[in-house]
């Protein structure tokens, strides 16, 4: 089955700097890659996603890149703000399959 | 549109008991997936229901079961509870027809003592 590895497990950055979280997946048939943000005591919230027919997608301060050949994808957050502090999860799934395989999460702390 | 709702939000049960959790998806969504979240194992897929049929299943024992009703609401049941079943149980809804985005409910926090 699919296996998703996520690094780093914790990340601290100064407010205003950029943060990058990386994930690798094992199943070459995976073609949908969402990112979720989970604040303490809250539900995971979908923040951005990318499909395998696209190499990069941006939404304001966040962007995701996908390298199908290397089977890895990354989340980039620019101009970080205190409200970006949360746990971020990457995930992967196959076309027509609602099963999401999640990475182990990255705890991002923004230092004011 | 109203978001995904789950009831109850908190539950405390004793080993050996059974429990039923409920999930109401976003209006118009026909797929409901269930996930278990624990500090040690992270987010793990339990199963997915679409149009009242289980379409996908994760690697959990048969004590974990579910069903979906004609209005797309879903329930999951855990029988013969074990201490290790203590977790946050999240459901997620999606249209289920080629649209991949899944939206999570607030979860049910189950504590087994």
């Amino acid at each position: 089955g699919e296996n998703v590895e996520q690094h780093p497990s914790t990340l601290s950055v100064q407010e205003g700097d950029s943060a990058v979280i990386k994930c690798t997946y094992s199943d070459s048939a995976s073609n949908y890659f969402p990112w979720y943000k989970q604040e303490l005591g809250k539900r995971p919230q979908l923040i951005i996603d990318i499909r395998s027919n696209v190499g990069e997608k941006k939404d304001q301060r966040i962007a995701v890149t996908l390298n199908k050949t290397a089977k890895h994808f990354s989340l980039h957050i620019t101009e970080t703000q205190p409200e970006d502090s949360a746990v971020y999860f990457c995930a992967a799934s196959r076309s027509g399959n609602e099963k999401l395989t999640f990475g182990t999460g990255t705890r991002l702390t923004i230092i004011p | 549109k109203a978001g995904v709702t789950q009831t109850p939000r908190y539950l405390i049960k004793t080993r050996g008991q059974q429990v039923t959790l409920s999930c109401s998806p976003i209006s118009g969504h026909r797929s409901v997936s269930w996930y278990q979240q624990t500090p040690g194992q992270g987010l793990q897929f339990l199963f997915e229901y679409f149009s009242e049929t289980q379409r996908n299943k994760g690697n959990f024992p048969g004590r974990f079961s579910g069903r979906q009703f004609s209005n797309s609401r879903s329930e999951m049941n855990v029988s013969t509870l074990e201490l290790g079943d203590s977790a946050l149980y999240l459901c997620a809804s999606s249209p289920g027809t080629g649209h991949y985005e899944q939206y999570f409910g607030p979860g049910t926090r189950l504590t087994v003592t």
Side-chain angles (χ1 to χ4, degrees):
Chain A
E2 174 69 280
N3 183 50
V4 177
E5 294 189 0
Q6 182 172 348
H7 299 281
S9 57
T10 61
L11 178 61
S12 295
V13 301
Q14 290 289 141
E15 182 178 351
D17 287 351
S18 295
V20 180
I21 302 170
K22 300 182 179 182
C23 290
T24 60
Y25 61 98
S26 61
D27 186 354
S28 56
S30 289
N31 62 354
Y32 175 65
F33 308 93
W35 287 88
Y36 286 85
K37 173 184 179 182
Q38 189 174 30
E39 297 174 76
L40 191 61
K42 301 272 185 75
R43 71 188 76 189
Q45 177 188 2
L46 178 65
I47 57 172
I48 196 167
D49 57 11
I50 191 167
R51 288 165 175 74
S52 60
N53 59 344
V54 175
E56 182 175 1
K57 183 177 178 181
K58 290 183 73 171
D59 183 4
Q60 300 182 349
R61 296 187 296 108
I62 60 173
V64 57
T65 59
L66 171 65
N67 182 326
K68 286 189 296 182
T69 303
K71 290 192 282 188
H72 68 69
F73 57 113
S74 300
L75 177 71
H76 305 251
I77 306 174
T78 58
E79 301 172 11
T80 53
Q81 301 169 2
E83 54 264 37
D84 294 330
S85 294
V87 178
Y88 291 80
F89 293 94
C90 63
S93 72
R94 288 184 172 197
S95 174
N97 188 330
E98 304 296 313
K99 174 184 176 181
L100 289 172
T101 300
F102 283 88
T104 49
T106 297
R107 182 173 300 280
L108 174 64
T109 302
I110 307 302
I111 305 166
Chain B
K1 273 186 181 178
V4 182
T5 59
Q6 292 186 244
T7 56
R9 294 293 311 279
Y10 302 92
L11 265 179
I12 300 176
K13 290 287 187 179
T14 304
R15 269 183 304 172
Q17 289 186 315
Q18 74 164 16
V19 66
T20 299
L21 314 181
S22 180
C23 173
S24 292
I26 293 170
S27 177
H29 285 192
R30 294 165 61 191
S31 169
V32 174
S33 298
W34 288 89
Y35 294 85
Q36 181 194 65
Q37 186 173 28
T38 61
Q41 299 297 316
L43 277 155
Q44 293 192 292
F45 175 80
L46 282 152
F47 31 65
E48 182 234 351
Y49 285 86
F50 177 78
S51 291
E52 302 178 67
T53 301
Q54 187 180 86
R55 193 162 65 168
N56 289 293
K57 189 176 188 306
N59 297 321
F60 278 81
R63 300 185 297 107
F64 292 81
S65 63
R67 59 178 176 168
Q68 187 179 37
F69 301 94
S70 58
N71 62 357
S72 293
R73 188 177 70 85
S74 177
E75 289 181 346
M76 70 162 279
N77 184 277
V78 188
S79 63
T80 320
L81 285 166
E82 301 177 358
L83 294 178
D85 297 333
S86 294
L88 180 67
Y89 290 89
L90 293 156
C91 74
S93 84
S94 75
T97 52
H99 297 273
Y100 303 154
E101 297 87 352
Q102 292 189 33
Y103 300 93
F104 282 88
T108 295
R109 172 75 61 186
L110 172 65
T111 302
V112 182
T113 62

